[in-house]
Amino acid sequence: MERRDSRQATSDYPHPFIHKLKLTRAQRIRGIVLGTILFPIRIFLVALCFLMMWPIARLRLAGLSEEERSRPVVAGWRWWLLHSIIRFLSRAAFFFLGFWVRVKGRRAGRKEAPVLAVAPHSSFLDMLVLPETQLATVVSRSENQKIPVIGALLEFNQSVMVNRKNPESRKQAIAQIIERLTSNGYWPQMLMFPEGTTTNGTILIKFKRGAFLAGVPVQPVLLHYPNKLDTVRWTHKGTTWIETLWHTCSQLYTNVTVEYLPVYTPSQEEKDDPNLYADNVQKLMAKTLGIPATDHVMEGRVPTRMLGGLSLPLEPPARETLSLLHKDGLRESEVEAALTQMIDRCQSEQGWRAVVDELVPLMGLTDRQTAAKICGLYSKDDKVDLRQIYLSVAAVSSFMDFKSLLHIAFTLYDREGSGSLTAVDVSDLMGAVVGSPQYHTEELYSELSRRGVPTEQELFRVLTTHPTYQKLISEYLTSEGAESRMPSTPLINGKVGNNNEGLPNDNRSALLHKTADNSSALPHKKDD
């Protein structure tokens, strides 16, 4: 694979959260024949291994008090007997799945490197690394404790359990991880996948801070799958988990190499800044793999890339909204009319919040299900912010130029009518334009405040002249198949020139006219 420098523009790279296995006709036939024979045999043998592990895993902590359970089991029969049996059965399970594991390099001791950072993270099958790391402890979702066999194995592993929806649980998990990692070998090594989710392996996405919070040395561990067919990947979109399992079991064997890199000891600066520590380890591992290190992240279930603190969805909800509207039969002019109705609604006493049933007539839809899907792109409940739909769809459409869009956005989010924005206003405005909530707009707000209060003119200047945010417009806020409709005269003597061409109709002009007092540099078109 061609080597590339780390941290280049993320737009240069393919979508890391999509993997679709492409098979030739011959490969499909071969897979069907071998899969019909191998899949049931292999699944039966793996199930047998797990059933044998279940009662043995329960014995690990059986009869121990709560205080004894809170201490690591690293000695006695519970260690040398049960640990050896579980490790053997774990290896056997992956062997029965067809994995041939090769180990490269030396695994450091737990005092030398309390953390093993494993990447790239490809799928649930990556857990094959556990028996090769002496069953290092892991971090897992608390919900997994209720799964038969898996819950017993997590208990055996003395894993750190966390409820990701509970802030208090997350705090306790972080404290527990730091305590274990700084125990000077009292606890076994911890194994973490710092990417936090699975990718197609073409890049390394941004590492999460968890493995680096304690500021202790880590040993990077690389997973290689050097096979003609890449059957192991299971990502956000593409091949499903059952297809992944089927295709992997349908191979005569699957090669995997576990490569231990030298221990990485952090500098004092890295100890003080876990983000810097994580980024540097990510770059090191990416360089060794010969792939880029990027700022792609998975926020919840939304794949994003970072740009100047902004989180940009790789699958913009506005483009999906346009696609849904067109599938429902709306033409371009009808989409534009629907957007205009949203502005009218925002100005009315009904306000800018709407439920799914209100979206149907508002957007001229014939199918309520389409309205529900659109609502789901922007909200977790049945209410949606019409400003988000309007601004994000308008941003990727060719209905108006960017300056006109920004003028409307500023007017909608200038809550006090003061002609300037607060930090919260900037966060909400950018979230609406991008179509996804923004939680890290401090960098943008700082840039806006450099010359004084964040006015409309200053927001326009920063977004159109700052190298980072110019990329936001040219790479993200651009209609598909068309160049970004940027104003021809962005700045005149330090002020924004008049250019409101592209406003669809008088309804939108009314909004601009209404806010002219707060945006004198952007007069109504009739004043041109």
Side-chain angles (χ1 to χ4, degrees), residues 344-415:
D344 293 340
R345 166 63 183 266
C346 289
Q347 291 180 272
S348 71
E349 294 181 357
Q350 292 176 287
W352 43 264
R353 297 283 287 179
V355 296
V356 172
D357 288 331
E358 291 175 307
L359 276 184
V360 177
L362 194 61
M363 304 186 79
L365 300 172
T366 59
D367 183 11
R368 185 186 184 280
Q369 189 62 31
T370 299
K373 289 179 180 178
I374 292 174
C375 182
L377 293 172
Y378 296 90
S379 174
K380 294 181 179 180
D381 53 37
D382 64 346
K383 288 186 177 181
V384 67
D385 187 337
L386 294 177
R387 297 173 298 178
Q388 290 185 346
I389 299 179
Y390 174 85
L391 292 172
S392 63
V393 171
V396 299
S397 305
S398 57
F399 300 144
M400 70 179 73
D401 60 36
F402 179 72
K403 185 173 66 176
S404 301
L405 171 74
L406 193 62
H407 180 53
I408 296 174
F410 194 95
T411 302
L412 289 172
Y413 285 93
D414 180 12
R415 305 174 199 274

Side-chain angles (χ1 to χ4, degrees), residues 5 114 131 179 231 233 262 305 333 338 440 451 464 520:
D5 294 334
E179 179 187 355
T231 63
R233 313 282 177 190
R305 61 185 177 93
S333 60
H440 308 289
R451 298 185 182 183
T464 55
S520 58

Side-chain angles (χ1 to χ4, degrees), residues 1-6 8-9 12-14 286-287 290-293:
M1 185 177 295
E2 181 184 357
R3 291 179 178 268
R4 304 181 69 175
D5 294 334
S6 298
Q8 297 179 32
D12 294 343
Y13 308 124
K287 183 179 179 181
I291 60 177

Side-chain angles (χ1 to χ4, degrees), residues 52-254:
M52 293 172 65
M53 282 191 276
W54 194 351
I56 297 173
R58 289 298 187 196
L59 284 175
R60 179 74 174 265
L61 302 180
L64 298 181
S65 65
E66 285 299 320
E67 182 182 354
E68 290 172 324
R69 284 169 173 259
S70 66
R71 298 196 294 262
V73 178
V74 292
W77 67 272
R78 296 176 189 270
W79 172 261
W80 61 260
L81 177 61
L82 301 184
H83 191 90
S84 299
I85 294 174
I86 293 294
R87 187 182 177 211
F88 172 80
L89 289 173
S90 299
R91 273 185 165 175
F94 286 105
F95 174 78
F96 290 143
L97 284 175
F99 285 99
W100 291 82
V101 182
R102 174 174 173 259
V103 177
K104 183 178 179 182
R106 180 189 69 86
R107 183 176 66 87
R110 57 189 177 190
K111 288 188 177 181
E112 187 181 357
V115 187
L116 301 174
V118 185
H121 191 13
S122 300
S123 76
F124 56 93
L125 295 172
D126 287 344
M127 297 310 292
L128 61 83
V129 73
L130 270 176
E132 307 305 326
T133 59
Q134 293 290 329
L135 301 180
T137 59
V138 299
V139 180
S140 181
R141 295 183 302 171
S142 56
E143 297 90 332
N144 292 338
Q145 289 179 297
K146 300 177 182 179
I147 303 176
V149 184
I150 299 300
L153 291 174
L154 289 172
E155 180 183 282
F156 172 91
N157 186 256
Q158 293 185 284
S159 305
V160 175
M161 309 307 297
V162 58
N163 182 341
R164 296 180 181 178
K165 298 179 181 178
N166 186 332
E168 189 60 34
S169 176
R170 292 199 300 269
K171 289 180 182 178
Q172 291 176 359
I174 290 173
Q176 194 174 358
I177 290 171
I178 294 176
E179 179 187 355
R180 291 190 181 193
L181 297 184
T182 56
S183 66
N184 194 30
Y186 178 67
W187 279 93
Q189 282 177 317
M190 293 199 73
L191 184 147
M192 297 188 187
F193 295 96
E195 290 177 289
T197 190
T198 57
T199 72
N200 56 24
T202 56
I203 64 172
L204 280 190
I205 64 174
K206 187 174 179 63
F207 281 8
K208 295 185 180 296
R209 303 190 312 159
F212 311 95
L213 284 171
V216 297
V218 305
Q219 183 170 30
V221 183
L222 304 179
L223 283 183
H224 306 272
Y225 292 97
N227 302 286
K228 187 175 180 180
L229 279 179
D230 192 355
T231 63
V232 175
R233 313 282 177 190
W234 177 47
T235 55
H236 172 67
K237 281 190 176 180
T239 306
T240 65
W241 72 269
I242 190 64
E243 289 173 328
T244 294
L245 191 59
W246 169 270
H247 290 306
T248 301
C249 289
S250 298
Q251 307 304 306
L252 290 175
Y253 58 88
T254 300

